Amino acid sequence: MPQPSSRLQARYGSDSVPAEIALNPLIEHLLDHRSVRAYLPDPVTDAELAAIVAAAQSAASSSNLNVWSVVAVRDAERRARLAELAGNQAHVREAPLQLVWLADLARLRRIATALERPAEGLDYLEMFLTGVIDAALAAQNGAAAAESLGLGMVYIGGMRNRPEEVAELLGLPPGVFAVFGMCVGRPDPARPADIKPRPPQAVVLHHERYALDAQDAGIAAYDRAMERFYAEQKMNVHGTWSVHSSKRIAGPETLSGRHRLVEALNALGFALK
């Protein structure tokens, strides 16, 4: 395993490592995260899946409402269809396990109906956001657990590209929305993944009050770090990280998920206020 100094250099780039940082085995494990897109065909076992879900359920849940769920997809044909819906991403098809993380308001509505109680609160944006946030918290716990078991993973935001078709494929009832997918499997050692640098802490960490102007130097350093990463990985990325990111936010046509979210949520049984 790499030493803490090399972990930090990989995560930030050599000129942006924090001068002082407290490290322990858990933090070092988290620093090793990387997006894995090449997998061996070996299955993820039921015991490993149970551990991932147990870790996910150990994440914080707003008011203990538990407004998230996850669908484990192992069937090859269904994975292939998910890959198509997510933008023809080959690793969605090839990974032995696809976890689709859901904002799930259907369960509480069913409970309220059974108790003959009103559930109008589920129609407000606050509850939808709660479901999305809880799903993300749970998924990140699950990701860390998967990596601790020697598995690799990568998030799949493309599940939001065609949400109605994903819902039909997975049998999602009204009030359930696929927030993102997650490929899980054993990394293929012949096609290793590297740690992608993140911005210096000066870009994201603010003391007492937010400071936008103070981020410019850190962003310039991050552009340099990502330029080295693009070159090392032989990635066909033109321009700096700043230029690349600006292109991604130019308009709705440049976003990965081009679907009109409000229309999709209405079609999936949400009536947000």
Side-chain angles (χ1 to χ4, degrees), residues 18 28 93 180:
E28 292 171 9
R93 180 176 61 254
F180 45 72

Side-chain angles (χ1 to χ4, degrees), residues 203-214:
V203 173
V204 300
L205 174 61
H206 306 266
H207 296 279
E208 309 304 336
R209 290 175 60 84
Y210 185 91
L212 184 60
D213 293 343

Side-chain angles (χ1 to χ4, degrees), residues 159-168 172 177-178 259 264 268:
M159 289 299 161
R160 299 188 299 275
N161 286 5
R162 295 158 69 179
E164 297 99 330
E165 291 168 88
V166 170
E168 181 180 4
L172 306 184
F177 177 72
H259 204 286
L268 295 172

Side-chain angles (χ1 to χ4, degrees), residues 109-128:
R109 191 176 296 278
R110 181 179 179 87
I111 290 170
T113 299
L115 294 173
E116 299 183 347
R117 291 177 176 271
E120 292 180 8
L122 295 176
D123 295 332
Y124 283 80
L125 179 62
E126 169 65 17
M127 283 306 305
F128 175 72

Side-chain angles (χ1 to χ4, degrees), residues 39-187:
Y39 301 91
L40 297 174
D42 309 28
V44 176
T45 68
D46 287 343
E48 290 168 330
L49 176 58
I52 291 168
V53 174
Q57 290 185 283
S58 298
S61 173
S62 180
S63 301
N64 197 34
L65 292 174
N66 299 291
V67 282
W68 67 273
S69 292
V70 60
V71 177
V73 180
R74 288 176 164 132
D75 178 75
E77 291 186 6
R78 188 167 280 110
R79 292 200 324 268
R81 177 59 176 157
L82 284 174
E84 179 185 352
L85 296 176
N88 296 311
Q89 299 185 56
H91 41 282
V92 177
R93 180 176 61 254
E94 294 168 359
L97 174 64
Q98 182 69 210
L99 296 177
V100 183
W101 299 86
L102 313 169
D104 185 351
L105 304 185
R107 180 165 46 244
L108 285 183
R109 191 176 296 278
R110 181 179 179 87
I111 290 170
T113 299
L115 294 173
E116 299 183 347
R117 291 177 176 271
E120 292 180 8
L122 295 176
D123 295 332
Y124 283 80
L125 179 62
E126 169 65 17
M127 283 306 305
F128 175 72
L129 288 177
T130 298
V132 170
I133 293 166
D134 273 17
L137 293 174
Q140 187 56 30
N141 258 28
E147 291 173 334
S148 76
L149 295 170
L151 300 168
M153 51 72 58
V154 64
Y155 284 102
I156 305 297
M159 289 299 161
R160 299 188 299 275
N161 286 5
R162 295 158 69 179
E164 297 99 330
E165 291 168 88
V166 170
E168 181 180 4
L169 180 68
L170 301 181
L172 306 184
V176 181
F177 177 72
V179 181
F180 45 72
M182 179 190 290
C183 298
V184 184
R186 285 168 177 75

